[in-house]
Amino acid sequence: MPRITSLDARVVSYRFAARPEPLSLGSALRRDVVLVRVTCEDGSVGYGESFHGHAGSAVAEIVNTTMQEVVVGREPHETVAVNAETFRRFVLAAGMSGGLLLALSGIDIAMWDAWGKVKGEPVHRLLGGSATDFEVYGGGFTLGFQPPDELAREVRRMVDGMGFRAVKLRIGDAPERDLARVRHIRETFGGELDIMVDANLGHRYDVGRLAPELGDLGVGWLEEPYPTGSPESFVALRSRGRVPVAAGENLGGAHEFADWIRRGALDVVQPDVSRVGGITEALRIAALARAAGLRFAPHISHSCLNHAATLHVLSAAGGDGLFEADGSVVNPFRDGVFSSETVIADGRASVPQDPGLGVVVDEAALADYPGERGSPFPRT
C-alpha cells in the first residue's frame, strides 16, 4: 500500500453574483470550501472538504501545520489511526475540538478518497455498503426569509425542475411570518410535499413556541431550535411530542452525539461529515442513531466532495437514511470546478460509482476561485 507523501489545504471561494435570501444567520456573501488534498507515493490524490464556519484560513492552517505529523507517512487506509491520534492528542485531552475536528474531517474524507482510488473501488464498497440511491430533500441557501409567493416559486422550481418531493424551509425570522411561509407552502403543494423546517439555532425568538402549529401543518421535523450548548432545551421540546426534533451539524464527535442521544434530545440525528470528523466518525454516529431507533439524516456542506462522502456514508449506514440535496441553481463547487456523477431525479440521489468518492477536481480551474479570508456572513 503506498504511503501518503504530502498533505495540504487551501481555501477556495465563490462570491455570489446576487446574495441569497437571508436566514437566521444572515445572508452569505460567498461559499467557502477548505479543500484538503493528500498525495500518495504512487501518484494517487485524494480530496476532502473541511467545513470552517467563519475562519477558513485558520482551518487550512491547522491542516498545513499541526496535522502534518499525524498524517504524512501513513497509508491512506489508516483513517482509524489518524482519528484516534487526533482525538487523543487534541480533541479530548487538550479541549481543542473546534478547529482540529474540522481539519480532521477534510483529511479523513481525502484519505478515504485516496484509498478508494488506490484500490479501484468506490468508497461505499470499501465500507461494505450496498444501497446505491436514497430519498432526498431540498435544502441550501435558496429557501430563506422571502415573501410566501416568492418562496412558493422557488419550491416549485425544485419540485418540477429537480424532482424533489421534500424541502426544508427556514424559520427564525418572526413567529407570524414564519408560520405564514410554512402555511403557504403547505396550502400550495398539499400533502404531496414533505416539509421540514430549520431554525439555524433559533437566534431571534423561542421557535419552540411554534411546535403545536408546525405539528398541525404536518412538518417532518424542527431543526436546531436552540443553541447546542443547551441540550436540556431540546429534551424539553421533544418531550412535548408536537414535532420531531433534529440537530447535529454543530455537534462534535460521536461522544457528543452519544450524550445527546442518552439524554433523549433528538429524534433526527444530523452529523456533517465535513464537521464531525469525516466519514470514519460519521459512521460511528450512524451506528448510535440506528441502535437508538432514531432517524439518520446527515447535514451537507458546500461542495460535492461533501455530498458524495455523505452518500457513501448513507450506503454504509444501512441505506435507509435521508440525503439533503443542494437546491441552488448555480454552485460551481457542486457541478463546476468540482463535479461528480451523482444524479438527483424523481426524489432520489444516486451514489457515485467511480473509484474513491467519485468526484473530479479541476485543479487548473481552482485559480478562478481564490480563497477569501474572514467570515462569509457579514455582521448584521
Side-chain angles (χ1 to χ4, degrees):
M1 180 70 68
R3 294 189 178 275
I4 295 170
T5 56
S6 69
L7 165 70
D8 63 88
R10 62 188 292 187
V11 180
V12 292
S13 301
Y14 165 66
R15 185 168 281 259
F16 295 114
R19 288 172 62 180
E21 297 295 334
L23 320 172
S24 292
L25 301 172
S27 177
L29 293 171
R30 62 184 191 268
R31 291 184 188 272
D32 289 339
V33 169
V34 179
L35 176 63
V36 179
R37 179 176 60 182
V38 298
T39 304
C40 300
E41 58 190 356
D42 70 342
S44 299
V45 179
Y47 296 95
E49 175 184 352
S50 285
F51 185 79
H52 73 85
H54 301 278
S57 56
V59 175
E61 181 70 5
I62 293 171
V63 175
N64 291 329
T65 56
T66 303
M67 294 300 294
Q68 294 291 310
E69 68 173 6
V70 181
V71 176
V72 175
R74 291 188 184 274
E75 297 176 0
H77 66 88
E78 294 185 77
T79 53
V80 171
V82 169
N83 176 288
E85 182 175 346
T86 304
F87 271 84
R88 184 182 70 251
R89 291 181 60 190
F90 309 126
V91 176
L92 300 178
M96 300 173 65
S97 61
L100 269 298
L101 198 54
L102 297 175
L104 171 64
S105 299
I107 292 168
D108 182 270
I109 294 168
M111 290 177 67
W112 279 105
D113 187 35
W115 187 17
K117 290 171 179 174
V118 168
K119 299 292 288 184
E121 294 280 358
V123 167
H124 73 273
R125 287 188 190 163
L126 298 179
L127 297 170
S130 57
T132 58
D133 74 296
F134 307 93
E135 183 182 354
V136 306
Y137 69 94
F141 283 134
T142 59
L143 305 178
F145 294 162
Q146 61 260 65
D149 287 341
E150 292 181 16
L151 181 63
R153 284 194 291 272
E154 189 65 15
V155 172
R156 176 64 67 188
R157 178 186 66 80
M158 292 184 175
V159 171
D160 292 348
M162 305 178 78
F164 291 164
R165 302 188 188 112
V167 296
K168 184 168 71 178
L169 309 179
R170 308 293 180 141
I171 65 172
D173 176 18
E176 298 79 11
R177 292 194 292 270
D178 287 338
L179 284 175
R181 291 187 192 94
V182 178
R183 189 175 292 113
H184 185 67
I185 298 303
R186 175 58 73 214
E187 291 172 352
T188 301
F189 294 90
E192 297 303 310
L193 182 71
D194 291 334
I195 298 173
M196 292 76 83
V197 298
D198 185 352
N200 294 115
L201 304 178
H203 290 293
R204 303 187 184 191
Y205 72 93
D206 181 1
V207 298
R209 61 193 271 196
L210 302 185
E213 291 87 350
L214 294 174
D216 291 342
L217 288 167
V219 166
W221 71 61
L222 169 54
E223 184 174 332
E224 290 205 316
Y226 305 112
T228 53
S230 56
E232 65 279 357
S233 297
F234 287 77
V235 174
L237 177 59
R238 187 178 179 228
S239 69
R240 299 177 208 167
R242 304 306 297 266
V243 63
V245 178
E249 67 183 272
N250 289 303
L251 294 181
H255 61 290
E256 288 194 14
F257 280 87
D259 179 58
W260 277 55
I261 291 171
R262 179 187 58 79
R263 291 170 181 257
L266 298 172
D267 293 292
V268 185
V269 179
Q270 298 180 298
D272 186 319
V273 294
S274 292
R275 305 188 192 195
V276 81
I279 291 170
T280 301
E281 196 72 3
L283 284 173
R284 294 169 177 164
I285 294 162
L288 290 171
R290 177 176 288 279
L294 303 178
R295 194 171 192 184
F296 184 64
H299 182 270
I300 61 166
S301 289
H302 291 301
S303 85
C304 62
L305 289 163
N306 168 279
H307 306 166
T310 301
L311 286 164
H312 289 293
V313 166
L314 285 169
S315 178
D320 57 353
L322 186 64
F323 178 67
E324 178 180 8
D326 173 29
S328 304
V329 175
V330 177
N331 180 356
F333 299 151
R334 179 194 60 204
D335 40 29
V337 62
F338 309 150
S339 60
S340 77
E341 61 177 15
T342 299
V343 175
I344 297 176
D346 299 323
R348 309 286 295 183
S350 64
V351 182
Q353 296 298 317
D354 286 344
L357 294 176
V359 174
V360 175
V361 176
D362 186 346
E363 291 260 9
L366 289 176
D368 295 332
Y369 300 91
E372 300 189 36
R373 302 174 73 87
S375 174
F377 285 91
R379 193 174 181 185
T380 57

